[in-house]
Amino acid sequence: MSRAGPVKRLWKGLRRQRKRRLPGQKRWLQVVRRTVQLLVLALLVLIPTLSLYDNLRNQQDDASIQQHMGTRFVHSVVGDMEDYTTLTQSVRGSVWTIKAGDLVMSDPLAGVDFAAASRSTWDPFFLTLLIPILLSVILGRVFCGWICPADLLFEVAGKLRAVAGIETNVEFSRLTKYGVLLIGTVSAFWLGTQVFAEIYPPRVLSGELYLSITFGLFGAGTWFLFAIILFEVFVSERFWCRYVCPGGALYSLLGRFRLVRIKVKQSACTSCEKCLPVCEFGLDPMNGDMGQECNNCGLCIRACAPKALVYQIGLPRKGPEVLP
Amino acid sequence: MKRTMNRREMLKFAGAVAKFVALGAIGFVGARKFRGRMVWAVTAPPAQQPIRPPGALPEDEFRAACTRCFLCGEVCPVQCIRFPSRVESSQTVDSTAPAGAKRKGRLPPVWQGDDTPYILPWQQGCILCMKCTEVCPTGALQPLSSNLKEAQPEIKMGLAVIDRKICLPWNRRSFCGACFTVCPYKGSAITVDHQNRPTIHADHCVGCGRCVELCPIKYKAISIKAPFYPDRGEERPE
């Protein structure tokens, strides 16, 4: 019997997704996680809009403020305020480097890029890495699963793939991204310029949003992200995060000895394997093979019907993360 | 005792290596094709250095320190700080491009694909408010005083150069004087004689580009040349 046509397959895929209500627990955790991710994305749109509004208002360019949808909205909220600059100038930057008042936080990958390219062992810039590094050491690769806007984009692409019923999946080694991290660091050192900033999807996405809002342009970064998404939908599931991202490699290394981890209770596990396909990073929760790459997203807990997967707080131990 | 791989395992291993090499090759070719400009820009010495925001470190140190965070662009009140993008660099530059730019309107290649901040003086000159230097997290833009007199010796954005063949007073065409009027260091960086013909003084000009922005001639009689650092042994470029 020949396969159904593409429209019918898409429709079947959508219905399959709708019926796919996972049987596990902690549904509220996914709601929180999605909310945080969407808030980050909203912030990446809001910050350039606020600075654009500030600059236009400074030049008393009311016509341009009314033309641009985002600034029109900001004006409707803060337009009458005497002291609007306290709000519009309160936060600057993106997930790569963010500045809120006197607090500046940067992505640890930016620190690696900077240290390698400028060949320096100390700079006040490194102080801005403290909080992200501390959070990663305690909680693991949570930037990837909870904050990274590109992860949200790629998860949506993954849902597209599931709806379209695409099964082709070329796998690579997870170690490749550590190679990318190493080669990139050496390249930055040798060439004397920063290289990760060009290819790291959260920074590229933040930059593209900034360019499109401020100048009405798209850059090469848009094509780059588009190419990754196409590749992930048609060829290799979650290709960038699983196999290539140098930021992911760095966060995995930082989060190797995290205090908050997911463990499997062997006595409760029925080996139904429902947790395997939901893991975004292709890990193996059923056998406790989370390793350093787990981002504590909790999707496996959401899928586990016998409630065998749990969060545990404590010092790490050797061997697979199993409980009796 | 360790056993050697049988044929099946050997084939699997060869397949994995082949996939790795193929991925590397695609990545390399893709990088050359799509980010090839970046590779060119970072490996070759720049043909024409872009005008950086004030307080910028010397160009090679700047490209190492700038983390491409776009904070300087966000705080610039006149939006003079721009970042290269493929679409922008291939668009036709508008008619206020200086005489030095190619007529077809492409920006010099080194400004493409790098995501570092630069200024196009003919579109918008820098007003020397120094907000960008305050916000830069890595020190690629060193903090400078916003007092114009104090900061003058530290600012090395470039050097203004007048094309006397085009400049109106030098051509006995008019009494223009726009560049002199708008210069923040008028009287020291730029002086005019009794016929309003301007002269740039290299030791005081900081290269902010307001003169270029205001020059009324279509292809601009004045332009900013890249800065040079005598204490690093550099000579003034042509």
Side-chain angles (χ1 to χ4, degrees), chain A residues 68-84:
Chain A
H68 192 274
M69 182 168 68
T71 48
R72 210 164 49 220
F73 169 72
V74 174
H75 189 68
S76 65
V77 175
V78 303
D80 292 326
M81 287 170 65
E82 275 282 322
D83 211 9
Y84 68 91

Side-chain angles (χ1 to χ4, degrees), chain A residues 4 51 206:
Chain A
S51 73
S206 312

Side-chain angles (χ1 to χ4, degrees), chain A residues 47-48 51-52 55 58-59 91-94 96-97 99 104 106 110 113-114 117-118 123-125 128 170-172 176 191-195 197-198 203 206-208 210-211 214-215 217-221 223 239 244, chain B residues 19-20 23 26 34-35 38-39 42-43 60-61 63-88 91 113-116 124 127 131 134-135 137-140:
Chain A
I47 292 176
S51 73
L52 181 66
N55 294 336
N58 201 29
Q59 297 170 56
V91 61
R92 291 263 182 261
S94 65
W96 188 234
T97 301
K99 183 179 163 96
V104 181
S106 303
D113 224 355
F114 176 85
S118 49
D123 190 275
F125 177 58
T128 65
V170 181
E171 292 187 2
F172 299 90
T176 316
L191 295 172
T193 187
Q194 303 206 358
V195 300
E198 311 282 341
R203 196 217 72 83
S206 312
E208 291 304 312
Y210 169 79
L211 287 178
T214 311
F215 298 109
L217 303 164
F218 288 109
W223 300 114
F239 168 73
V244 186
Chain B
K19 266 195 263 186
F20 190 79
L23 185 65
I26 292 173
F34 293 106
R35 305 301 284 182
M38 177 196 82
V39 177
V42 303
T43 53
D60 46 354
E61 290 173 41
R63 299 249 289 281
C66 174
T67 195
R68 284 84 162 150
C69 65
F70 290 17
L71 274 162
C72 51
E74 281 180 17
V75 298
C76 176
V78 292
Q79 213 78 69
C80 70
I81 295 182
R82 313 178 69 79
F83 304 90
S85 75
R86 179 165 293 242
V87 174
E88 180 181 50
Q91 278 175 353
D114 198 37
D115 293 322
T116 49
Q124 179 68 49
I127 59 170
K131 286 205 165 79
E134 288 165 23
V135 86
T138 58

Side-chain angles (χ1 to χ4, degrees), chain A residues 21-58:
Chain A
R21 195 193 164 91
L22 295 169
Q25 54 180 337
K26 291 210 181 7
R27 184 157 180 255
W28 57 269
L29 196 69
Q30 295 308 312
V31 173
V32 170
R33 190 170 80 95
R34 284 285 182 237
T35 311
V36 172
Q37 286 184 315
L38 288 169
L39 278 177
V40 169
L41 201 58
L43 202 67
L44 291 181
V45 171
L46 186 68
I47 292 176
T49 310
L50 284 177
S51 73
L52 181 66
Y53 175 79
D54 216 34
N55 294 336
L56 291 176
R57 181 94 184 248
N58 201 29

Side-chain angles (χ1 to χ4, degrees), chain B residues 20-154:
Chain B
F20 190 79
V21 170
L23 185 65
I26 292 173
F28 183 72
V29 170
R32 302 247 7 141
K33 259 192 142 26
F34 293 106
R35 305 301 284 182
R37 294 179 191 221
M38 177 196 82
V39 177
W40 188 93
V42 303
T43 53
Q48 183 180 345
Q49 186 187 317
I51 309 296
R52 298 290 185 198
L57 295 170
E59 183 64 13
D60 46 354
E61 290 173 41
F62 183 80
R63 299 249 289 281
C66 174
T67 195
R68 284 84 162 150
C69 65
F70 290 17
L71 274 162
C72 51
E74 281 180 17
V75 298
C76 176
V78 292
Q79 213 78 69
C80 70
I81 295 182
R82 313 178 69 79
F83 304 90
S85 75
R86 179 165 293 242
V87 174
E88 180 181 50
S89 59
S90 61
Q91 278 175 353
T92 310
V93 177
D94 63 18
S95 61
T96 56
K102 294 182 194 160
R103 285 296 185 269
K104 265 173 89 170
R106 295 186 187 280
L107 290 173
V110 72
W111 296 358
Q112 294 166 348
D114 198 37
D115 293 322
T116 49
Y118 65 94
I119 293 176
L120 297 178
W122 59 89
Q123 284 193 7
Q124 179 68 49
C126 172
I127 59 170
L128 300 174
C129 69
M130 305 308 179
K131 286 205 165 79
C132 51
T133 68
E134 288 165 23
V135 86
C136 178
T138 58
L141 301 177
Q142 294 286 300
L144 291 177
S145 162
S146 52
N147 178 318
L148 287 182
K149 272 242 156 353
E150 267 180 45
Q152 187 180 18
E154 315 287 332

Side-chain angles (χ1 to χ4, degrees), chain A residues 181-230:
Chain A
L181 181 64
L182 181 68
I183 293 176
T185 310
V186 169
S187 307
F189 186 84
W190 179 49
L191 295 172
T193 187
Q194 303 206 358
V195 300
F196 291 127
E198 311 282 341
I199 61 166
Y200 187 52
R203 196 217 72 83
V204 172
L205 182 61
S206 312
E208 291 304 312
L209 285 171
Y210 169 79
L211 287 178
S212 66
I213 289 171
T214 311
F215 298 109
L217 303 164
F218 288 109
T222 308
W223 300 114
F224 180 63
L225 290 172
F226 194 57
I228 298 178
I229 289 176
L230 277 181

